[in-house]
Structures are given as structure tokens and as C-alpha cells.
Amino acid sequence: MKRKIVLCILVLFALSVPLFAQEAAAAAASDGGGSNTAAWRYIAAALAVGISCIAGGIAVGQIGAAAMGAMSENPELSGKALPYAGLAEGICLWGFLVALLIMIL
């Protein structure tokens, strides 16, 4: 299952290469097809947010399960598990920031 996910991500990244190619941007500008570049921007921003939120959700789920198991044995560990969940949620924030930069630049 993990191999399929990694393969899909690599294929999506390979398909987004024309977004960064200067020749493709110059050809689109000369043809008057600037909306094609804007469409790739929206797709890239959506992928950045989508993949980071999925990864953040998986991380928070695994950390939450491990934290609940640890707290059932030792209740004092609840304060130590909270920062790790916050770090996992930060993955989503970084994905949003990358998408924002894609849209602005």
C-alpha cells in the first residue's frame, strides 16, 4: 500500500514539472494561453495542501493512539504527548504556507 502511495506522489510531481519550466511559460505567453499556467498553479496548491493534510492526519492519528496507550499506563505522560501532536499538526500548516506561496508567486 505504501509503495502505491509513494508511486502516485512521484507521478504527480513528475507531471507538475512543466509548471516550473521557463520554456513552457514563454510558449504559453506567446500563444496567449496564460490561463494554463494559472490552472497548474491551482493544481499544485491543492496538492500541497491535500498531501500535507493527509500526512498530518495520519501522523496525529498514530501519535494520538500511542499517547492514549502510554497515558493508560502512566497518567503523568499526558503533558509530554501534547507537543508531539502539535508538531504533527504543523505539517498541515507548512502545506498551507507552501500553497500560499505558490498562489502569490
Side-chain angles (χ1 to χ4, degrees):
M1 182 69 181
K2 289 183 181 181
R3 288 182 185 177
K4 289 181 183 180
I5 292 172
V6 171
L7 182 64
C8 288
I9 291 171
L10 288 175
V11 167
L12 288 174
F13 283 133
L15 292 176
S16 65
V17 169
L19 177 66
F20 301 107
Q22 292 180 359
E23 294 85 14
S30 66
D31 292 340
S35 63
N36 189 19
T37 305
W40 279 107
R41 277 188 169 172
Y42 289 127
I43 292 170
L47 285 173
V49 172
I51 292 172
S52 67
C53 286
I54 289 171
I58 291 170
V60 168
Q62 290 180 354
I63 290 171
M68 288 296 133
M71 283 189 292
S72 68
E73 294 178 9
N74 189 1
E76 289 101 26
L77 293 177
S78 63
K80 293 180 182 178
L82 187 63
Y84 292 111
L87 287 172
E89 291 175 6
I91 296 170
C92 301
L93 179 64
W94 282 109
F96 173 72
L97 291 175
V98 167
L100 190 65
L101 288 173
I102 289 172
M103 296 301 293
I104 291 174
L105 302 175

Coordinates of all heavy atoms in Angstrom, one line a residue:
M1 N 0.8 -1.2 0.0 CA 0.0 0.0 0.0 C 0.9 1.3 0.0 O 0.6 2.2 -0.7 CB -0.9 0.0 1.2 CG -1.9 1.1 1.3 SD -3.1 1.0 0.0 CE -4.0 2.4 0.3
K2 N 2.0 1.2 0.8 CA 2.8 2.4 0.9 C 3.5 2.6 -0.5 O 3.8 3.8 -0.9 CB 3.8 2.2 2.0 CG 3.2 2.3 3.3 CD 4.3 2.3 4.4 CE 3.7 2.3 5.8 NZ 4.7 2.3 6.8
R3 N 3.8 1.6 -1.2 CA 4.5 1.7 -2.5 C 3.6 2.4 -3.5 O 4.0 3.2 -4.3 CB 4.9 0.3 -3.0 CG 6.1 -0.3 -2.3 CD 6.5 -1.6 -2.9 NE 7.5 -2.2 -2.1 CZ 8.0 -3.4 -2.4 NH1 7.5 -4.1 -3.4 NH2 8.9 -3.9 -1.6
K4 N 2.3 2.1 -3.4 CA 1.4 2.7 -4.3 C 1.2 4.2 -4.0 O 1.1 5.0 -5.0 CB 0.0 2.0 -4.2 CG 0.0 0.6 -4.8 CD -1.4 0.0 -4.7 CE -1.4 -1.4 -5.2 NZ -2.8 -2.0 -5.1
I5 N 1.2 4.5 -2.8 CA 1.1 6.0 -2.4 C 2.3 6.7 -2.8 O 2.2 7.8 -3.4 CB 0.9 6.1 -0.9 CG1 -0.5 5.5 -0.5 CG2 1.0 7.5 -0.4 CD1 -0.8 5.5 1.0
V6 N 3.5 6.2 -2.6 CA 4.7 6.8 -3.0 C 4.8 6.9 -4.5 O 5.2 8.0 -5.0 CB 6.0 6.1 -2.4 CG1 7.2 6.6 -3.0 CG2 6.0 6.1 -0.9
L7 N 4.4 5.9 -5.2 CA 4.4 6.0 -6.7 C 3.4 7.0 -7.2 O 3.8 7.8 -8.1 CB 4.0 4.6 -7.2 CG 4.0 4.5 -8.7 CD1 5.4 4.7 -9.3 CD2 3.5 3.1 -9.2
C8 N 2.2 7.1 -6.6 CA 1.3 8.2 -7.0 C 1.8 9.6 -6.8 O 1.7 10.5 -7.6 CB 0.0 8.0 -6.3 SG -1.0 6.6 -6.8
I9 N 2.5 9.8 -5.7 CA 3.1 11.1 -5.4 C 4.2 11.4 -6.3 O 4.3 12.5 -6.8 CB 3.6 11.1 -3.9 CG1 2.4 11.1 -2.9 CG2 4.4 12.4 -3.6 CD1 2.8 10.9 -1.5
L10 N 5.0 10.4 -6.6 CA 6.1 10.7 -7.6 C 5.6 11.0 -9.0 O 6.1 11.9 -9.7 CB 7.0 9.5 -7.7 CG 7.9 9.3 -6.4 CD1 8.7 8.0 -6.6 CD2 8.8 10.4 -6.2
V11 N 4.5 10.3 -9.4 CA 3.9 10.6 -10.7 C 3.3 12.0 -10.7 O 3.5 12.7 -11.7 CB 2.8 9.5 -11.0 CG1 2.0 9.9 -12.2 CG2 3.5 8.2 -11.3
L12 N 2.6 12.4 -9.6 CA 2.1 13.7 -9.6 C 3.2 14.8 -9.6 O 3.0 15.9 -10.3 CB 1.2 13.9 -8.3 CG -0.1 13.2 -8.3 CD1 -0.8 13.3 -7.0 CD2 -1.0 13.7 -9.4
F13 N 4.3 14.6 -8.9 CA 5.4 15.5 -9.0 C 6.0 15.6 -10.4 O 6.4 16.6 -10.9 CB 6.5 15.2 -8.0 CG 6.1 15.6 -6.6 CD1 6.3 14.7 -5.5 CD2 5.6 16.8 -6.3 CE1 5.9 15.1 -4.2 CE2 5.3 17.2 -5.0 CZ 5.4 16.3 -4.0
A14 N 6.1 14.4 -11.0 CA 6.6 14.4 -12.4 C 5.7 15.1 -13.4 O 6.2 15.8 -14.3 CB 6.9 13.0 -12.8
L15 N 4.4 15.0 -13.2 CA 3.5 15.7 -14.0 C 3.5 17.3 -13.8 O 3.0 18.0 -14.6 CB 2.1 15.2 -13.9 CG 1.9 13.7 -14.4 CD1 0.5 13.3 -14.1 CD2 2.2 13.7 -15.9
S16 N 4.0 17.7 -12.6 CA 4.0 19.1 -12.3 C 5.2 19.8 -12.8 O 5.4 21.0 -12.6 CB 3.8 19.4 -10.8 OG 4.9 18.8 -10.1
V17 N 6.2 19.1 -13.4 CA 7.4 19.7 -13.9 C 7.2 20.8 -14.9 O 7.9 21.8 -14.9 CB 8.4 18.6 -14.4 CG1 9.5 19.2 -15.2 CG2 8.8 17.7 -13.3
P18 N 6.2 20.7 -15.8 CA 6.0 21.8 -16.8 C 5.7 23.1 -16.2 O 5.8 24.1 -16.8 CB 4.9 21.3 -17.7 CG 4.9 19.8 -17.6 CD 5.4 19.5 -16.2
L19 N 5.2 23.1 -15.0 CA 4.8 24.3 -14.3 C 6.1 25.2 -14.0 O 6.0 26.4 -14.1 CB 4.2 24.0 -12.9 CG 3.8 25.2 -12.0 CD1 2.8 26.0 -12.7 CD2 3.4 24.7 -10.7
F20 N 7.2 24.5 -13.8 CA 8.4 25.2 -13.5 C 9.4 25.4 -14.7 O 10.4 26.0 -14.6 CB 9.2 24.5 -12.4 CG 8.4 24.3 -11.1 CD1 7.8 23.1 -10.8 CD2 8.1 25.4 -10.3 CE1 7.1 23.0 -9.6 CE2 7.3 25.3 -9.2 CZ 6.8 24.1 -8.9
A21 N 9.0 24.9 -15.8 CA 9.8 25.1 -17.0 C 9.6 26.4 -17.6 O 8.5 26.9 -17.9 CB 9.5 24.0 -18.0
Q22 N 10.7 27.2 -17.8 CA 10.6 28.5 -18.4 C 10.2 28.5 -19.8 O 9.6 29.4 -20.3 CB 12.0 29.2 -18.2 CG 12.3 29.5 -16.7 CD 13.7 30.2 -16.6 OE1 14.3 30.4 -17.6 NE2 14.0 30.5 -15.4
E23 N 10.6 27.5 -20.5 CA 10.3 27.4 -21.9 C 8.7 27.2 -22.1 O 8.1 27.8 -23.0 CB 11.0 26.2 -22.6 CG 12.5 26.4 -22.7 CD 13.2 25.9 -21.5 OE1 12.5 25.2 -20.7 OE2 14.3 26.2 -21.3
A24 N 8.1 26.5 -21.2 CA 6.7 26.3 -21.3 C 6.0 27.6 -21.0 O 5.0 27.9 -21.6 CB 6.2 25.2 -20.4
A25 N 6.5 28.3 -20.0 CA 5.9 29.6 -19.7 C 6.0 30.6 -20.8 O 5.1 31.4 -21.1 CB 6.5 30.2 -18.4
A26 N 7.2 30.6 -21.5 CA 7.4 31.5 -22.6 C 6.5 31.1 -23.8 O 5.9 32.0 -24.4 CB 8.8 31.5 -23.0
A27 N 6.3 29.9 -24.0 CA 5.4 29.4 -25.1 C 4.0 29.7 -24.8 O 3.2 30.1 -25.7 CB 5.6 27.9 -25.3
A28 N 3.6 29.6 -23.6 CA 2.2 29.9 -23.2 C 1.9 31.4 -23.3 O 0.9 31.8 -23.7 CB 1.9 29.4 -21.8
A29 N 2.9 32.2 -22.9 CA 2.8 33.7 -23.0 C 2.7 34.1 -24.5 O 1.9 35.0 -24.8 CB 3.9 34.4 -22.3
S30 N 3.4 33.5 -25.4 CA 3.4 33.9 -26.8 C 2.1 33.4 -27.4 O 1.6 34.0 -28.4 CB 4.6 33.3 -27.5 OG 4.5 31.9 -27.6
D31 N 1.5 32.3 -27.0 CA 0.3 31.8 -27.5 C -1.0 32.5 -26.9 O -2.1 32.3 -27.4 CB 0.1 30.3 -27.3 CG 1.2 29.5 -28.1 OD1 1.7 30.1 -29.1 OD2 1.4 28.4 -27.8
G32 N -0.8 33.2 -25.9 CA -1.9 33.8 -25.2 C -2.6 32.9 -24.3 O -3.7 33.1 -23.8
G33 N -2.0 31.7 -23.9 CA -2.6 30.7 -23.1 C -2.1 30.8 -21.6 O -1.7 29.9 -21.1
G34 N -2.1 32.0 -21.1 CA -1.7 32.2 -19.7 C -2.5 31.5 -18.7 O -2.1 31.3 -17.6
S35 N -3.8 31.2 -19.0 CA -4.7 30.5 -18.1 C -4.2 29.1 -17.8 O -4.6 28.6 -16.8 CB -6.1 30.5 -18.6 OG -6.2 29.8 -19.8
N36 N -3.5 28.5 -18.7 CA -3.0 27.1 -18.5 C -2.0 27.1 -17.3 O -2.0 26.2 -16.5 CB -2.3 26.6 -19.8 CG -2.0 25.1 -19.7 OD1 -2.5 24.4 -18.8 ND2 -1.1 24.7 -20.5
T37 N -1.1 28.2 -17.2 CA -0.2 28.3 -16.1 C -1.0 28.5 -14.8 O -0.6 27.9 -13.8 CB 0.8 29.4 -16.4 OG1 1.4 29.2 -17.6 CG2 1.8 29.5 -15.3
A38 N -2.0 29.3 -14.9 CA -2.8 29.5 -13.7 C -3.5 28.2 -13.2 O -3.6 28.0 -12.0 CB -3.8 30.6 -13.9
A39 N -3.9 27.4 -14.1 CA -4.5 26.2 -13.8 C -3.5 25.2 -13.1 O -3.9 24.6 -12.1 CB -5.1 25.5 -15.0
W40 N -2.3 25.2 -13.6 CA -1.3 24.4 -12.9 C -1.0 24.9 -11.5 O -0.7 24.1 -10.6 CB 0.0 24.3 -13.8 CG -0.1 23.3 -14.9 CD1 -0.2 23.6 -16.2 CD2 -0.1 21.9 -14.8 NE1 -0.3 22.4 -16.9 CE2 -0.2 21.4 -16.1 CE3 0.0 21.1 -13.7 CZ2 -0.2 20.0 -16.3 CZ3 0.0 19.7 -13.9 CH2 -0.1 19.2 -15.2
R41 N -1.0 26.2 -11.4 CA -0.8 26.8 -10.0 C -1.9 26.3 -9.0 O -1.6 25.9 -7.9 CB -0.8 28.3 -10.1 CG 0.4 28.9 -10.5 CD 0.3 30.4 -10.3 NE 1.6 30.9 -10.4 CZ 1.9 32.2 -10.4 NH1 0.9 33.1 -10.4 NH2 3.1 32.7 -10.5
Y42 N -3.1 26.3 -9.5 CA -4.2 25.8 -8.6 C -4.1 24.4 -8.3 O -4.3 23.9 -7.1 CB -5.6 26.1 -9.3 CG -6.0 27.5 -9.3 CD1 -6.3 28.1 -10.5 CD2 -6.0 28.3 -8.2 CE1 -6.7 29.4 -10.6 CE2 -6.3 29.7 -8.3 CZ -6.7 30.2 -9.5 OH -7.0 31.5 -9.6
I43 N -3.7 23.6 -9.2 CA -3.5 22.1 -9.0 C -2.3 21.9 -8.0 O -2.4 21.1 -7.1 CB -3.2 21.4 -10.3 CG1 -4.5 21.4 -11.2 CG2 -2.7 20.0 -10.1 CD1 -4.3 20.9 -12.6
A44 N -1.2 22.6 -8.2 CA 0.0 22.5 -7.3 C -0.4 22.9 -5.9 O 0.0 22.3 -5.0 CB 1.1 23.3 -7.9
A45 N -1.1 24.0 -5.8 CA -1.5 24.5 -4.4 C -2.5 23.5 -3.8 O -2.3 23.2 -2.6 CB -2.2 25.8 -4.5
A46 N -3.4 22.9 -4.5 CA -4.3 21.9 -4.0 C -3.5 20.6 -3.6 O -3.8 20.1 -2.5 CB -5.4 21.5 -5.0
L47 N -2.6 20.2 -4.3 CA -1.8 19.1 -4.0 C -0.9 19.3 -2.7 O -0.8 18.5 -1.9 CB -0.8 18.7 -5.1 CG -1.5 18.0 -6.3 CD1 -0.5 17.8 -7.4 CD2 -2.1 16.6 -5.9
A48 N -0.4 20.5 -2.6 CA 0.4 20.9 -1.4 C -0.4 20.8 -0.2 O 0.0 20.2 0.8 CB 1.0 22.3 -1.6
V49 N -1.6 21.4 -0.2 CA -2.5 21.3 1.0 C -3.0 19.9 1.2 O -3.0 19.5 2.3 CB -3.6 22.4 0.8 CG1 -4.6 22.2 1.9 CG2 -3.1 23.8 0.8
G50 N -3.5 19.3 0.2 CA -4.1 18.0 0.3 C -3.1 16.9 0.9 O -3.4 16.2 1.8
I51 N -1.9 16.8 0.3 CA -1.0 15.8 0.7 C -0.5 16.1 2.1 O -0.4 15.2 2.9 CB 0.2 15.8 -0.3 CG1 -0.3 15.2 -1.6 CG2 1.3 14.9 0.3 CD1 0.7 15.2 -2.7
S52 N -0.3 17.4 2.4 CA 0.2 17.7 3.8 C -0.9 17.5 4.8 O -0.5 17.0 5.9 CB 0.7 19.2 3.9 OG -0.4 20.1 3.7
C53 N -2.1 17.7 4.5 CA -3.2 17.5 5.5 C -3.4 16.0 5.7 O -3.7 15.5 6.8 CB -4.5 18.2 5.1 SG -4.4 19.9 5.3
I54 N -3.3 15.2 4.6 CA -3.4 13.7 4.8 C -2.3 13.2 5.6 O -2.5 12.4 6.5 CB -3.5 13.1 3.4 CG1 -4.8 13.4 2.7 CG2 -3.3 11.6 3.5 CD1 -4.9 12.9 1.3
A55 N -1.1 13.7 5.3 CA 0.1 13.2 6.1 C 0.0 13.7 7.6 O 0.3 12.9 8.5 CB 1.4 13.8 5.5
G56 N -0.5 14.9 7.8 CA -0.7 15.4 9.2 C -1.7 14.6 9.9 O -1.6 14.3 11.1
G57 N -2.8 14.2 9.2 CA -3.8 13.4 9.8 C -3.4 12.0 10.2 O -3.7 11.5 11.3
I58 N -2.6 11.4 9.3 CA -2.0 10.1 9.6 C -1.1 10.2 10.8 O -1.1 9.3 11.7 CB -1.3 9.5 8.4 CG1 -2.3 9.2 7.3 CG2 -0.4 8.3 8.8 CD1 -1.7 8.8 6.0
A59 N -0.2 11.2 10.9 CA 0.7 11.4 12.0 C 0.0 11.6 13.3 O 0.3 11.1 14.3 CB 1.7 12.6 11.7
V60 N -1.0 12.5 13.3 CA -1.8 12.8 14.5 C -2.5 11.5 15.0 O -2.6 11.3 16.2 CB -2.8 14.0 14.3 CG1 -3.7 14.1 15.5 CG2 -2.0 15.3 14.2
G61 N -3.0 10.7 14.1 CA -3.7 9.5 14.4 C -2.8 8.5 15.1 O -3.1 7.9 16.1
Q62 N -1.6 8.4 14.6 CA -0.6 7.4 15.2 C -0.1 8.0 16.5 O 0.1 7.2 17.5 CB 0.5 7.2 14.2 CG 0.1 6.4 13.0 CD 1.2 6.1 12.0 OE1 2.3 6.6 12.2 NE2 0.9 5.3 11.0
I63 N 0.2 9.2 16.6 CA 0.7 9.8 17.8 C -0.4 9.8 18.9 O -0.1 9.5 20.1 CB 1.2 11.3 17.6 CG1 2.4 11.2 16.8 CG2 1.4 12.0 18.9 CD1 2.9 12.6 16.3
G64 N -1.7 10.1 18.5 CA -2.8 10.0 19.5 C -3.0 8.6 20.0 O -3.2 8.4 21.2
A65 N -2.9 7.6 19.2 CA -3.1 6.2 19.6 C -2.0 5.8 20.6 O -2.2 5.2 21.6 CB -3.1 5.3 18.4
A66 N -0.7 6.2 20.2 CA 0.4 5.9 21.1 C 0.3 6.7 22.4 O 0.6 6.1 23.5 CB 1.7 6.2 20.4
A67 N -0.1 7.9 22.4 CA -0.3 8.7 23.6 C -1.3 8.2 24.5 O -1.2 8.1 25.7 CB -0.6 10.2 23.2
M68 N -2.5 7.7 23.9 CA -3.5 7.2 24.8 C -3.1 5.9 25.4 O -3.4 5.6 26.6 CB -4.8 6.9 23.9 CG -5.5 8.1 23.5 SD -6.2 9.0 25.0 CE -5.7 10.6 24.6
G69 N -2.3 5.1 24.7 CA -1.8 3.8 25.3 C -0.8 4.1 26.4 O -0.8 3.4 27.4
A70 N 0.0 5.1 26.2 CA 1.0 5.5 27.3 C 0.3 6.1 28.5 O 0.7 5.8 29.6 CB 2.0 6.4 26.7
M71 N -0.7 6.9 28.2 CA -1.4 7.5 29.4 C -2.2 6.5 30.2 O -2.5 6.7 31.3 CB -2.3 8.7 28.9 CG -1.5 9.9 28.6 SD -2.5 11.3 28.2 CE -3.3 10.9 26.7
S72 N -2.7 5.4 29.5 CA -3.4 4.4 30.3 C -2.5 3.7 31.3 O -3.0 3.3 32.3 CB -4.0 3.4 29.3 OG -3.0 2.6 28.7
E73 N -1.2 3.7 31.0 CA -0.3 3.0 31.9 C 0.3 4.1 32.9 O 0.5 3.7 34.1 CB 0.8 2.4 31.1 CG 0.4 1.2 30.3 CD 1.5 0.6 29.5 OE1 2.7 1.0 29.8 OE2 1.3 -0.3 28.7
N74 N 0.5 5.3 32.5 CA 1.1 6.3 33.3 C 0.4 7.7 33.0 O 0.8 8.3 32.0 CB 2.6 6.4 33.1 CG 3.3 7.3 34.1 OD1 2.7 7.8 35.0 ND2 4.6 7.4 33.9
P75 N -0.5 8.1 33.9 CA -1.3 9.3 33.6 C -0.4 10.6 33.5 O -0.8 11.6 33.0 CB -2.3 9.4 34.7 CG -2.4 8.1 35.3 CD -1.0 7.4 35.0
E76 N 0.8 10.6 34.1 CA 1.6 11.8 34.1 C 2.2 12.1 32.7 O 2.8 13.2 32.5 CB 2.8 11.7 35.1 CG 2.3 11.7 36.5 CD 2.3 10.3 37.1 OE1 3.0 9.4 36.7 OE2 1.5 10.2 38.1
L77 N 2.1 11.2 31.7 CA 2.6 11.4 30.4 C 1.8 12.2 29.5 O 2.2 12.5 28.4 CB 2.9 10.0 29.7 CG 3.9 9.2 30.4 CD1 4.0 7.8 29.6 CD2 5.3 9.8 30.3
S78 N 0.6 12.7 30.0 CA -0.3 13.4 29.1 C 0.3 14.8 28.7 O 0.1 15.2 27.5 CB -1.6 13.7 29.8 OG -1.4 14.5 31.0
G79 N 1.0 15.4 29.5 CA 1.7 16.7 29.2 C 2.8 16.5 28.2 O 3.2 17.4 27.4
K80 N 3.5 15.4 28.2 CA 4.6 15.1 27.3 C 4.1 14.7 25.9 O 4.9 14.9 24.9 CB 5.5 14.0 27.9 CG 6.2 14.5 29.1 CD 7.1 13.4 29.6 CE 7.7 13.8 30.9 NZ 8.6 12.8 31.5
A81 N 2.9 14.2 25.8 CA 2.4 13.7 24.5 C 1.8 14.9 23.6 O 1.8 14.8 22.4 CB 1.4 12.6 24.6
L82 N 1.4 15.9 24.3 CA 0.7 17.0 23.6 C 1.6 17.8 22.6 O 1.2 18.1 21.5 CB 0.1 18.0 24.6 CG -0.8 19.1 24.1 CD1 -2.0 18.5 23.4 CD2 -1.2 20.0 25.2
P83 N 2.9 18.1 22.9 CA 3.7 18.8 22.0 C 4.0 17.9 20.7 O 4.1 18.5 19.6 CB 5.0 19.0 22.7 CG 4.7 19.0 24.1 CD 3.5 18.0 24.2
Y84 N 4.0 16.6 20.8 CA 4.2 15.8 19.6 C 3.0 15.9 18.7 O 3.2 15.9 17.5 CB 4.5 14.4 20.0 CG 5.9 14.2 20.7 CD1 6.0 13.9 22.1 CD2 7.1 14.5 20.0 CE1 7.2 13.8 22.7 CE2 8.3 14.4 20.7 CZ 8.3 14.1 22.0 OH 9.5 14.0 22.6
A85 N 1.8 15.9 19.2 CA 0.6 16.1 18.4 C 0.6 17.4 17.7 O 0.3 17.5 16.6 CB -0.6 15.9 19.2
G86 N 1.1 18.4 18.4 CA 1.2 19.8 17.8 C 2.2 19.8 16.7 O 2.0 20.5 15.7
L87 N 3.3 19.1 16.9 CA 4.3 19.1 15.8 C 3.7 18.4 14.6 O 4.0 18.8 13.4 CB 5.6 18.3 16.3 CG 6.4 19.1 17.3 CD1 7.5 18.2 17.8 CD2 7.0 20.3 16.6
A88 N 3.0 17.3 14.8 CA 2.4 16.6 13.6 C 1.3 17.5 12.9 O 1.2 17.5 11.7 CB 1.7 15.3 14.1
E89 N 0.6 18.3 13.7 CA -0.4 19.2 13.1 C 0.3 20.4 12.3 O -0.2 21.0 11.4 CB -1.3 19.8 14.1 CG -2.2 18.8 14.7 CD -3.0 19.4 15.9 OE1 -3.0 20.6 16.1 OE2 -3.8 18.6 16.5
G90 N 1.6 20.6 12.7 CA 2.3 21.7 12.0 C 2.6 21.3 10.5 O 2.9 22.2 9.7
I91 N 2.6 20.0 10.2 CA 2.7 19.6 8.8 C 1.7 20.2 7.9 O 2.0 20.7 6.8 CB 2.7 18.0 8.7 CG1 3.9 17.4 9.5 CG2 2.7 17.6 7.3 CD1 3.7 15.9 9.6
C92 N 0.5 20.3 8.4 CA -0.6 20.9 7.7 C -0.4 22.4 7.5 O -0.7 22.9 6.4 CB -2.0 20.7 8.4 SG -2.4 19.0 8.6
L93 N 0.1 23.0 8.5 CA 0.4 24.5 8.4 C 1.5 24.7 7.3 O 1.3 25.7 6.5 CB 0.8 25.0 9.7 CG 1.2 26.5 9.8 CD1 -0.1 27.3 9.5 CD2 1.7 26.9 11.1
W94 N 2.5 23.9 7.3 CA 3.5 24.1 6.3 C 3.0 23.9 4.9 O 3.4 24.6 3.9 CB 4.7 23.2 6.5 CG 5.6 23.7 7.6 CD1 5.7 23.2 8.9 CD2 6.4 24.9 7.6 NE1 6.6 24.0 9.6 CE2 7.0 25.0 8.9 CE3 6.7 25.8 6.6 CZ2 7.9 26.0 9.2 CZ3 7.6 26.8 6.9 CH2 8.2 26.9 8.2
G95 N 2.1 22.9 4.7 CA 1.5 22.7 3.4 C 0.7 23.9 3.0 O 0.7 24.3 1.8
F96 N -0.1 24.5 3.9 CA -0.8 25.7 3.6 C 0.1 26.8 3.2 O -0.2 27.6 2.3 CB -1.7 26.1 4.8 CG -2.4 27.4 4.6 CD1 -3.5 27.5 3.7 CD2 -2.0 28.5 5.3 CE1 -4.1 28.7 3.5 CE2 -2.6 29.7 5.1 CZ -3.7 29.8 4.2
L97 N 1.2 27.0 3.9 CA 2.1 28.1 3.6 C 2.7 27.9 2.2 O 2.9 28.9 1.5 CB 3.2 28.2 4.7 CG 2.7 28.7 6.0 CD1 3.9 28.7 7.0 CD2 2.2 30.1 5.9
V98 N 3.1 26.7 1.9 CA 3.6 26.4 0.5 C 2.6 26.7 -0.5 O 2.9 27.3 -1.6 CB 4.1 24.9 0.4 CG1 4.4 24.6 -1.0 CG2 5.3 24.8 1.3
A99 N 1.3 26.3 -0.3 CA 0.3 26.6 -1.3 C 0.1 28.1 -1.4 O -0.2 28.6 -2.5 CB -1.0 25.9 -0.8
L100 N 0.1 28.8 -0.3 CA 0.0 30.3 -0.3 C 1.1 30.9 -1.2 O 0.9 31.8 -2.0 CB 0.0 30.8 1.1 CG -0.4 32.3 1.3 CD1 -1.8 32.5 0.8 CD2 -0.2 32.7 2.7
L101 N 2.3 30.5 -1.0 CA 3.4 31.0 -1.8 C 3.3 30.6 -3.3 O 3.7 31.4 -4.1 CB 4.8 30.5 -1.2 CG 5.2 31.1 0.1 CD1 6.4 30.3 0.7 CD2 5.5 32.5 0.0
I102 N 2.8 29.5 -3.5 CA 2.6 29.1 -4.9 C 1.5 30.0 -5.6 O 1.7 30.5 -6.7 CB 2.1 27.6 -5.1 CG1 3.2 26.7 -4.7 CG2 1.5 27.3 -6.5 CD1 2.8 25.2 -4.6
M103 N 0.5 30.4 -4.8 CA -0.5 31.2 -5.4 C -0.1 32.7 -5.5 O -0.4 33.4 -6.5 CB -1.8 31.2 -4.5 CG -2.4 29.8 -4.4 SD -3.0 29.2 -6.0 CE -4.2 30.4 -6.4
I104 N 0.8 33.2 -4.6 CA 1.2 34.5 -4.7 C 2.3 34.7 -5.7 O 2.3 35.7 -6.5 CB 1.8 35.0 -3.3 CG1 0.6 35.1 -2.3 CG2 2.5 36.3 -3.4 CD1 1.1 35.4 -0.9
L105 N 3.3 33.8 -5.8 CA 4.4 34.0 -6.7 C 4.0 33.4 -8.0 O 3.8 33.2 -8.9 CB 5.6 33.3 -6.1 CG 6.1 33.9 -4.8 CD1 7.3 33.1 -4.3 CD2 6.5 35.3 -4.9

